[in-house]
Amino acid sequence: MKETKEHIIRAAFLLFMKKSYKAVTLKEIIRETGLSNGAFYHYFESKEQLFREVISNYLFRVVRRLYESSTKDSLWDFIQYTLSAMEEFHKSMHEYLSAGGFNFLVFMFEAIRVFPEIQLEINKLHKLEFASWVEIIDIAKLKGEIRAELPAEVIACMFIYLPDGAYLDYCINGNAVKYEFGSRRLWEGLYSILKI
């Protein structure tokens, strides 16, 4: 039963990535899943409800889990843990991202347009992400792992926003390997600059 629901969510997400929420019809989603109308409606009452579930699955759950369960032993371990999680997520998203990395950005902005209240959830996740980076950077400074000249908040912003630029480059140029390698190289390079 759970597998069927996940199958619907996965199929819908792929369609939303290829097109837009507005362009995808409920009939098309049902056809893509290979289920009957009755089977689909057993899990979801509407396309809107399904879209909310897709958003929850692909925008929020992964990020929340990443920062709630991350290691706090050292900044280097935190970086490696986060990079591994990002790379694993990217591998699991390969089928969807092959439709175009830019489509994921469109999906995210469309989610905000359709459900403006989602911006609040995105803000909460950003605060969680920022607080996690600040916390581990403060720990790294106290342990003498990195130099303490820059405020933790500034360093946190650098770690948070560097992959965004790499992702935009990926969206424009479509080189997934360059994106994955770029994020790793940027974070590890920044760490080596901060290291004592």
Side-chain angles (χ1 to χ4, degrees):
M1 210 167 182
K2 183 181 175 186
E3 290 174 3
T4 304
K5 185 174 182 178
E6 289 172 0
H7 170 68
I8 295 168
I9 292 167
R10 202 170 21 254
F13 183 54
L14 185 54
L15 286 171
F16 294 142
M17 287 290 288
K18 287 180 180 175
K19 297 182 175 187
S20 67
Y21 169 73
K22 189 176 180 180
V24 174
T25 66
L26 201 47
K27 185 177 180 180
E28 192 175 7
I29 294 169
I30 293 169
R31 185 177 60 243
E32 188 70 25
T33 64
L35 299 171
S36 67
N37 286 358
F40 175 85
Y41 284 109
H42 174 74
Y43 295 98
F44 298 100
E45 295 174 8
S46 65
K47 183 172 91 167
E48 181 179 290
Q49 182 192 19
L50 174 58
F51 191 51
R52 279 186 179 276
E53 190 72 27
V54 168
I55 292 164
S56 175
N57 242 347
Y58 292 99
L59 277 184
F60 299 133
R61 193 167 292 139
V62 173
V63 175
R64 190 178 300 112
R65 190 176 16 196
L66 170 66
Y67 289 106
E68 287 175 347
S69 63
S70 59
T71 178
K72 299 286 194 303
D73 295 331
S74 73
L75 178 57
W76 178 256
D77 290 345
F78 183 83
I79 289 168
Q80 295 307 314
Y81 173 85
T82 307
L83 282 168
S84 294
M86 285 169 54
E87 290 163 357
E88 191 60 39
F89 177 69
H90 194 269
K91 283 178 192 168
S92 72
M93 295 284 289
H94 179 74
E95 174 185 9
Y96 308 110
L97 293 177
S98 64
F102 182 73
N103 290 1
F104 188 78
L105 288 177
V106 171
F107 167 78
M108 184 176 67
F109 289 121
E110 189 171 38
I112 294 167
R113 184 183 55 76
V114 173
F115 304 115
E117 67 277 8
I118 284 175
Q119 185 65 50
L120 296 173
E121 185 68 21
I122 290 171
N123 290 342
K124 284 182 199 173
L125 285 178
H126 180 70
K127 285 178 184 175
L128 173 63
E129 178 185 24
F130 184 73
S132 296
W133 278 104
V134 169
E135 179 184 6
I136 191 61
I137 290 163
D138 280 338
I139 290 169
K141 284 180 171 189
L142 287 172
K143 287 183 172 182
E145 182 183 359
I146 61 171
R147 293 192 307 262
E149 289 100 26
L150 286 173
E153 293 78 8
V154 171
I155 298 169
C157 287
M158 290 177 183
F159 278 108
I160 291 168
Y161 298 129
L162 280 173
D164 293 346
Y167 187 73
L168 284 176
D169 181 61
Y170 161 61
C171 290
I172 293 166
N173 297 310
N175 187 340
V177 173
K178 185 178 173 186
Y179 165 62
E180 289 175 16
F181 178 70
S183 294
R184 178 170 290 282
R185 193 173 69 189
L186 289 169
W187 275 5
E188 289 177 353
L190 178 56
Y191 178 83
S192 70
I193 291 169
L194 297 169
K195 192 155 171 46
I196 292 176

